[in-house]
């Protein structure tokens, strides 16, 4: 036999100190719990049960409101008229529910009724009714405004105030933890936000019951985010024990409901970030930010884990914020420019073209910034597509571009999503127009990772490029030594050997043998090879001896503005 927990457990926070009124309020809590159980655990006769509950609410309002108003009148309570208006509004609302009870979609109707009753409990009984006791005794009463306060949770502001108080009056180590539920949006997506809110309230009650300890305070922040504040000593033993206990408490939690005549058990995991006072700082607001950083790190490392804050994480976040600020300025003013790094023929030692590289200019720092400093942040922020779009616009409108007639222009693109693939197809249309207008040769570089992760899409790109005289290159070839099957399947026009792999060929004979085997295979398939990261004469000599077709690297030429490239390499 299943034993169901009450949605709302009666406790002293609900009491106003007048016995017969408290007993009648208990009846309302009982009705709310019955509705909750009906909605989630016993919905077989849902309409009949809701109808019965509505009738019980009708009866409740009659005997409770009459008795409460008579009591207030006998004691000359000054807010009697305000109470009567509130009571009439409640009765009217119940009648509206009664009148619109539907035949279908009863779950949504029941949730709406449950939400109304909960708000009445919190806003009327825990606020307005408590004034009766204040009037009779003259003692001020601090009343909770929501269920989280009933369960003993502080708001964010209150927990920070408590943190400040502890710092001012104690000398112990203080631990501050923030955690949230991994992928809680999936629960909202499947069951709806109303059910999601009920689950959070039920989970908070579970935490409150299981984490009742001296010098430990719980906080409920926005959304599905919770916090814990506790005192410790220099060994941090209590902190580690509490973290372990929190994860165990979460592991043992489940929310049970009946969906489509079968019971479902909602379970979840959490990610947690922790900071220590005074080790990581002395200002509670600053420590809150650092705890958020640690939580973010826990999410990035795979979720369902905890991370303690480190200064390195803080520096990385600050650096990311600085890069974002620069990128925002760059995009607003379109301070994006194409640079070109020359590519040389191994045989003739002449430039055959170049790779188009993304560069931005920061007015604040008064310098040109290479992609390595910002591309990861730009990708995470969703800025990269826009940066590439501006760069290509400036390339195709550059006055020096006609001088690239007969030369190759390599442009690197990574396929990271289907949306990116669609954008690339449209971009290739612009490349086709450009090759027809200028007479240059466009080469699309697709990363090896793109080949592996989007294997079904690459043939479509290959077909599109083949039909329009645009060449295809596989970038980072050899990075994982998993490229040979894709080389045979797609037969690109070029393969660009991974730079780290090229450098390793100087270290061991085995790597060099693999390199020469790739070059021989490519020649047999009539695929040209390009080596990147040619950083010194030793690497260059090794690549020439290995009969690599084309070379690219700082030893031969650095990336430069289009006009400089034309002046150095294309001016006869």
């Amino acid at each position: 036999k299943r034993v169901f927990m009450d949605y709302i457990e009666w406790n002293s926070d609900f009491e106003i100190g007048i016995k017969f009124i408290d007993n009648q309020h208990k009846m309302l809590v009982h009705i709310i719990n019955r509705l909750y159980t009906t909605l989630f655990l016993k919905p077989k006769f849902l309409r009949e049960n809701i109808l019965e509950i509505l009738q019980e609410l009708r009866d409740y309002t009659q005997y409770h409101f009459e008795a409460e108003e008579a009591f207030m009148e006998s004691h000359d309570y000054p807010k009697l008229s305000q109470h009567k208006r509130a009571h009439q509004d409640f009765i009217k609302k119940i009648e509206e529910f009664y009148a619109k009870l539907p035949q279908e979609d009863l779950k949504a109707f029941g949730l709406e009724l449950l939400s109304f009753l909960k708000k009445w409990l919190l806003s009327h009984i825990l606020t307005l009714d408590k004034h009766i006791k204040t009037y009779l005794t003259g003692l001020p009463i601090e009343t909770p405004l929501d269920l989280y306060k009933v369960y003993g949770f502080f708001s964010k502001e209150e927990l920070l105030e408590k943190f400040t108080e502890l710092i001012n009056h104690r000398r112990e180590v203080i631990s501050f933890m923030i955690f949230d539920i991994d992928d809680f949006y999936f629960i909202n997506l499947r069951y709806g936000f109303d059910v999601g809110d009920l689950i959070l309230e039920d989970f908070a009650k579970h935490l409150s019951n299981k984490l009742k300890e001296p010098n430990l305070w719980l906080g409920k922040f926005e959304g599905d985010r919770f916090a814990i504040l506790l005192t410790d000593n220099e060994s941090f033993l209590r902190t580690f024990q509490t973290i372990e206990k929190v994860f165990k408490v979460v592991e043992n939690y489940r929310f049970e409901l009946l969906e489509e005549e079968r019971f479902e058990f909602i379970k979840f995991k959490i990610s947690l970030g922790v900071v220590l006072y005074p080790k990581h700082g002395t200002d509670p607001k600053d420590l809150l930010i650092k705890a958020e950083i640690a939580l973010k790190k826990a999410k990035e490392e795979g979720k369902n884990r905890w991370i303690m804050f480190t200064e390195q994480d803080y520096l990385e976040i600050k650096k990311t914020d600085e890069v974002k600020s620069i990128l925002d300025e760059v995009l607003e003013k379109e301070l994006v420019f194409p640079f070109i790094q020359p590519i040389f023929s191994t045989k003739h030692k002449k430039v055959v073209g170049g790779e188009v590289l993304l560069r931005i200019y920061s007015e604040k720092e008064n310098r040109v910034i290479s992609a390595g400093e910002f591309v990861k942040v730009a990708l995470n922020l969703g800025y990269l597509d826009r940066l590439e779009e501006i760069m290509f616009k400036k390339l195709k409108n550059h006055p020096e571009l006609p001088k690239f007639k007969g030369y190759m222009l390599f442009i690197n693109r990574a396929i990271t999503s289907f949306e990116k693939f669609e954008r690339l197809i449209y971009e290739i249309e612009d490349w086709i127009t450009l090759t027809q207008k200028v007479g240059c040769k466009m080469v699309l570089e697709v990363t090896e990772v793109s080949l592996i992760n989007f294997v079904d899409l690459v043939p479509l790109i290959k077909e599109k490029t083949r039909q329009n005289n645009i060449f295809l290159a596989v970038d980072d070839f050899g990075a994982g030594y998993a490229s040979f099957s894709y080389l045979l399947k797609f037969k690109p026009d070029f393969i660009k050997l991974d730079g780290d792999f090229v450098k390793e060929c100087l270290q061991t004979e085995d790597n060099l043998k693999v390199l020469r085997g790739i070059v021989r295979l490519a020649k047999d398939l009539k695929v040209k090879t390009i080596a990147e990261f040619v950083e010194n004469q030793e690497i260059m000599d090794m690549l020439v001896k290995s009969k690599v077709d084309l070379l690219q690297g700082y030893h031969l030429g650095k990336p430069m503005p289009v006009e400089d490239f034309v002046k150095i390499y294309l001016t006869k």
Side-chain angles (χ1 to χ4, degrees):
K1 182 179 179 181
R2 298 178 186 275
V3 178
F4 303 127
M5 297 293 291
D6 285 339
Y7 171 46
I8 298 175
E9 294 177 1
W10 180 270
N11 64 36
S12 59
D13 286 315
F14 294 105
E15 295 176 359
I16 69 169
I18 302 167
K19 188 173 182 180
F20 86 91
I21 294 179
D22 285 336
N23 287 337
Q24 291 178 4
H25 287 168
K26 283 182 184 179
M27 288 301 301
L28 179 60
V29 171
H30 175 70
I31 293 171
I32 292 173
N33 286 331
R34 275 190 55 208
L35 177 59
Y36 174 82
T37 303
T38 296
L39 288 173
F40 292 106
L41 305 173
K42 299 178 180 178
K44 188 173 182 182
F45 301 103
L46 188 54
R47 194 174 192 281
E48 292 83 349
N49 289 335
I50 291 177
L51 188 62
E52 184 179 320
I53 287 169
L54 284 170
Q55 184 58 56
E56 189 171 349
L57 284 168
R58 274 179 163 178
D59 297 339
Y60 170 81
T61 57
Q62 184 174 357
Y63 69 75
H64 170 61
F65 290 163
E66 286 180 0
E68 190 174 78
E69 288 171 12
F71 176 83
M72 288 187 285
E73 191 168 1
S74 67
H75 287 81
D76 296 322
Y77 184 58
K79 294 185 178 182
L80 174 59
S81 60
Q82 182 182 354
H83 256 77
K84 284 185 174 181
R85 285 195 301 272
H87 290 165
Q88 289 303 315
D89 289 342
F90 184 90
I91 293 170
K92 181 180 178 182
K93 190 68 178 177
I94 293 301
E95 291 303 319
E96 288 176 1
F97 274 109
Y98 204 96
K100 68 178 185 180
L101 179 62
Q103 293 293 333
E104 298 180 355
D105 202 14
L106 289 162
K107 187 78 168 282
F109 176 85
L111 285 170
E112 185 183 352
L113 176 60
L114 183 66
S115 177
F116 167 72
L117 294 175
K118 180 181 71 174
K119 287 177 182 176
W120 170 268
L121 180 73
L122 298 172
S123 65
H124 184 82
I125 294 178
L126 294 185
T127 53
L128 201 59
D129 279 355
K130 287 237 176 177
H131 292 158
I132 302 173
K133 183 175 183 180
T134 302
Y135 171 72
L136 292 175
T137 64
L139 298 175
I141 298 175
E142 185 176 330
T143 59
L145 299 177
D146 58 36
L147 285 180
Y148 296 109
K149 290 191 181 300
V150 171
Y151 300 146
F153 284 78
F154 288 83
S155 68
K156 180 189 292 186
E157 294 72 22
E158 290 168 339
L159 199 65
L160 288 174
E161 288 176 9
K162 187 65 183 181
F163 202 169
T164 303
E165 177 190 325
L166 290 173
I167 289 173
N168 292 337
H169 294 90
R170 296 172 180 263
R171 293 187 177 181
E172 300 105 323
V173 170
I174 303 171
S175 299
F176 186 41
M177 308 173 197
I178 295 178
F179 65 91
D180 66 13
I181 299 168
D182 293 336
D183 302 321
F184 190 76
Y185 58 87
F186 282 125
I187 292 176
N188 284 329
L189 183 66
R190 179 169 184 182
Y191 300 104
F193 287 98
D194 289 336
V195 175
D197 290 343
L198 293 174
I199 292 172
L200 288 176
E201 290 168 347
D202 188 68
F203 175 61
K205 181 173 65 176
H206 177 74
L207 285 177
S208 176
N209 290 334
K210 300 299 182 182
L211 294 176
K212 289 186 184 300
E213 297 179 11
N215 298 324
L216 183 151
W217 299 268
L218 294 170
K220 172 63 174 67
F221 291 2
E222 62 283 345
D224 57 309
R225 189 155 294 192
F226 296 82
I228 297 174
L229 188 65
L230 60 90
T231 59
D232 202 349
N233 56 42
E234 293 295 337
S235 70
F236 310 129
L237 179 61
R238 189 186 184 204
T239 296
F240 298 135
Q241 289 175 336
T242 300
I243 292 172
E244 183 179 357
K245 185 174 182 179
V246 168
F247 276 84
K248 181 62 70 174
V249 166
V250 174
E251 182 182 338
N252 292 334
Y253 173 76
R254 69 179 186 179
F255 185 88
E256 186 174 359
L257 56 84
L258 192 63
E259 284 284 313
E260 298 178 356
E261 299 188 357
R262 67 183 181 87
F263 279 97
E264 292 188 8
F265 304 99
I266 298 173
K267 295 178 66 68
F268 40 69
K269 302 181 185 300
I270 64 167
S271 298
L272 182 147
V274 58
V275 293
L276 304 172
Y277 165 89
K279 176 180 173 65
H280 297 130
T282 57
D283 177 42
K285 290 184 178 178
D286 179 57
L287 288 166
L288 170 60
I289 292 172
K290 291 177 177 178
E292 294 275 6
I293 290 171
L295 173 59
K296 181 176 182 292
K297 189 78 172 179
K299 294 283 190 185
E300 290 173 349
E301 293 192 5
K303 305 176 185 176
N304 188 30
R305 66 193 64 214
W306 67 273
I307 295 287
M308 184 172 288
F309 171 82
T310 68
E311 288 299 329
Q312 182 61 37
D313 296 334
Y314 192 44
L315 293 175
E316 287 180 9
I317 291 291
K318 287 188 68 176
K319 180 63 177 176
T320 297
D321 185 57
E322 290 169 4
V323 173
K324 180 184 182 301
S325 177
I326 291 172
L327 289 173
D328 287 336
E329 175 196 34
V330 162
L331 287 173
E332 180 183 357
K333 299 179 180 179
E334 294 198 349
L335 300 175
V336 184
F337 305 96
F339 271 45
I340 299 181
Q341 185 175 24
I343 296 175
F344 291 82
S345 165
T346 307
K347 184 176 181 181
H348 303 292
K349 306 297 188 293
K350 291 183 179 180
V351 167
V352 297
E355 181 176 0
V356 182
L357 299 169
L358 180 63
R359 294 292 184 269
I360 63 175
Y361 177 73
S362 169
E363 290 183 341
K364 180 181 178 181
E365 299 185 6
N366 190 29
R367 69 183 182 101
V368 174
I369 304 176
S370 63
E373 292 188 50
F374 65 82
V375 72
K376 183 178 179 181
V377 175
L379 184 61
N380 291 336
L381 293 173
Y383 288 3
L384 189 57
D385 286 351
R386 178 60 181 150
L387 291 169
E388 291 177 344
E389 181 184 328
I390 297 171
M391 182 196 74
F392 184 70
K393 180 180 73 173
K394 292 193 173 182
L395 175 68
K396 71 180 182 180
N397 295 325
H398 200 287
E400 297 284 7
L401 194 62
K403 294 181 181 178
F404 281 82
K405 182 178 181 180
Y407 289 89
M408 291 184 288
L409 286 174
F410 289 72
I411 297 183
N412 189 301
R413 291 291 182 265
I415 307 172
T416 55
S417 66
F418 185 74
E419 290 74 19
K420 186 83 171 179
F421 167 76
E422 285 187 308
R423 180 178 174 274
L424 178 58
I425 292 297
Y426 286 115
E427 193 174 5
I428 289 174
E429 294 292 340
D430 281 340
W431 297 357
I432 294 167
T433 303
L434 187 64
T435 57
Q436 292 171 348
K437 177 182 176 181
V438 175
C440 59
K441 301 173 183 177
M442 301 294 293
V443 184
L444 167 63
E445 296 184 26
V446 180
T447 61
E448 181 183 31
V449 173
S450 297
L451 286 177
I452 296 170
N453 293 340
F454 294 89
V455 63
D456 295 331
L457 300 180
V458 176
L460 301 176
I461 293 176
K462 176 65 177 175
E463 187 65 26
K464 184 80 172 176
T465 55
R466 182 187 293 114
Q467 290 175 358
N468 294 283
N469 201 31
I470 292 177
F471 301 95
L472 181 65
V474 178
D475 196 19
D476 299 334
F477 190 88
Y481 301 163
S483 310
F484 294 102
S485 61
Y486 298 101
L487 179 63
L488 293 170
K489 185 172 183 178
F490 302 122
K491 291 190 179 177
D493 303 288
F494 301 89
I495 56 173
K496 293 190 79 171
L497 301 168
D498 178 68
D500 290 332
F501 169 61
V502 168
K503 287 187 283 188
E504 288 171 1
C505 291
L506 287 175
Q507 309 301 320
T508 68
E509 188 66 25
D510 287 343
N511 282 342
L512 184 57
K513 288 177 181 178
V514 172
L515 170 69
R516 290 174 176 170
I518 292 172
V519 172
R520 284 195 299 270
L521 175 61
K523 289 187 183 300
D524 289 342
L525 296 173
K526 295 183 172 52
V527 176
K528 291 191 176 297
T529 51
I530 309 171
E532 297 183 287
F533 291 84
V534 183
E535 297 177 347
N536 54 52
Q537 188 65 41
E538 185 181 12
I539 293 176
M540 181 174 169
D541 291 342
M542 179 265 293
L543 293 168
V544 171
K545 188 174 180 180
S546 300
K547 299 182 180 180
V548 172
D549 296 300
L550 302 173
L551 304 174
Q552 177 183 354
Y554 274 37
H555 181 65
L556 298 165
K558 295 182 179 180
M560 62 192 73
V562 175
E563 52 271 21
D564 291 349
F565 187 93
V566 170
K567 183 178 180 181
I568 296 171
Y569 297 110
L570 304 186
T571 303
K572 306 299 182 185

